[in-house]
Amino acid sequence: NTKDWNKAKDFGEKLASDITSEYQCLNLDVENIFIKLLLANKKKYAALVLKNNIDFINSTEMDIRNNSFINVKGIEIINKNWCNLMKYAGMFCLDQFMFSSDKNEAANSILKELKRINEMIRNNGESSLPIEESCFKKKMKITLDDLIIFKSITKPLDQYDSRKAVNVTVAK
């Protein structure tokens, strides 16, 4: 566990080399350096991936944003069955936890944004709540298009397991 990019890369390369030399059937390499990782379970994670070698310890949030990206694999945030508003809310939550250095600050920011979204849903897409300054591009208005699920239904509804398909539950 280090905040030094070079140390992390060197450690990863040494570990990969040691394992590859011990087990010839494996060929490991360093693909990414994660700043943060949310591991839901096997093959389901979200990670803040460092693109460039930067002084992570003395970096601002903007420096980190400009030199990293969020990589999401297998987590429901990218599910095609979800409407755009749910995708936005999920990505906002991930963004707050990945880029914030304080988890309580991230949680408070998420709660405020969810309250703002709730108010927009209840008030014809508009909100009177103030929009907190953020590097994340916030939704200014909710439209009907934000609530549409674009996943199509190709067979009769009774042939689907609605517990696995949100679009089928909505259609029923």
Side-chain angles (χ1 to χ4, degrees):
N1 187 9
T2 182
K3 291 187 176 186
D4 183 305
W5 191 86
N6 288 316
K7 282 183 184 177
K9 190 170 193 298
D10 290 345
F11 178 79
E13 287 173 348
K14 179 170 179 0
L15 183 62
S17 174
D18 290 350
I19 292 171
T20 299
S21 65
E22 180 72 25
Y23 303 96
Q24 279 75 35
C25 60
L26 294 174
N27 186 11
L28 301 181
D29 193 14
V30 175
E31 188 176 314
N32 291 309
I33 295 179
F34 297 161
I35 298 171
K36 289 184 179 178
L37 175 68
L38 169 65
L39 186 60
N41 60 34
K42 188 172 147 182
K43 297 184 183 180
K44 292 187 179 199
Y45 68 88
L48 185 58
V49 181
L50 196 57
K51 291 190 292 193
N52 302 311
N53 181 359
I54 62 169
D55 179 6
F56 180 73
I57 297 167
N58 298 312
S59 296
T60 64
E61 180 186 338
M62 190 54 76
D63 291 334
I64 294 171
R65 282 183 181 278
N66 290 335
N67 290 287
S68 64
F69 62 94
I70 297 175
N71 186 6
V72 179
K73 298 282 183 184
I75 294 179
E76 293 298 320
I77 290 168
I78 56 174
N79 193 327
K80 293 176 185 166
N81 292 349
W82 287 22
C83 67
N84 288 335
L85 180 60
M86 290 306 301
K87 290 176 186 178
Y88 165 81
M91 286 308 295
F92 180 82
C93 293
L94 266 184
D95 179 89
Q96 296 306 297
F97 280 117
M98 291 296 178
F99 288 107
S100 178
S101 57
D102 181 329
K103 64 182 176 185
N104 291 326
E105 183 181 303
N108 286 333
S109 179
I110 290 167
L111 289 173
K112 286 178 185 174
E113 183 63 6
L114 292 175
K115 285 179 186 175
R116 199 175 71 81
I117 289 171
N118 181 28
E119 185 183 32
M120 285 191 284
I121 290 171
R122 294 173 184 271
N123 293 302
N124 202 27
E126 308 274 340
S127 175
S128 62
L129 294 174
I131 298 174
E132 288 189 1
E133 191 174 316
S134 171
C135 295
F136 189 87
K137 187 174 183 335
K138 292 199 177 172
K139 201 158 228 356
M140 304 307 285
K141 184 175 181 162
I142 295 174
T143 65
L144 192 55
D145 287 343
D146 293 322
L147 304 173
I148 295 172
I149 298 171
F150 291 97
K151 178 84 174 165
S152 62
I153 295 174
T154 57
K155 52 190 175 186
L157 293 176
D158 60 348
Q159 291 182 7
Y160 286 96
D161 180 356
S162 60
R163 292 172 296 166
K164 294 180 182 178
V166 176
N167 59 322
V168 174
T169 302
V170 171
K172 285 182 177 180

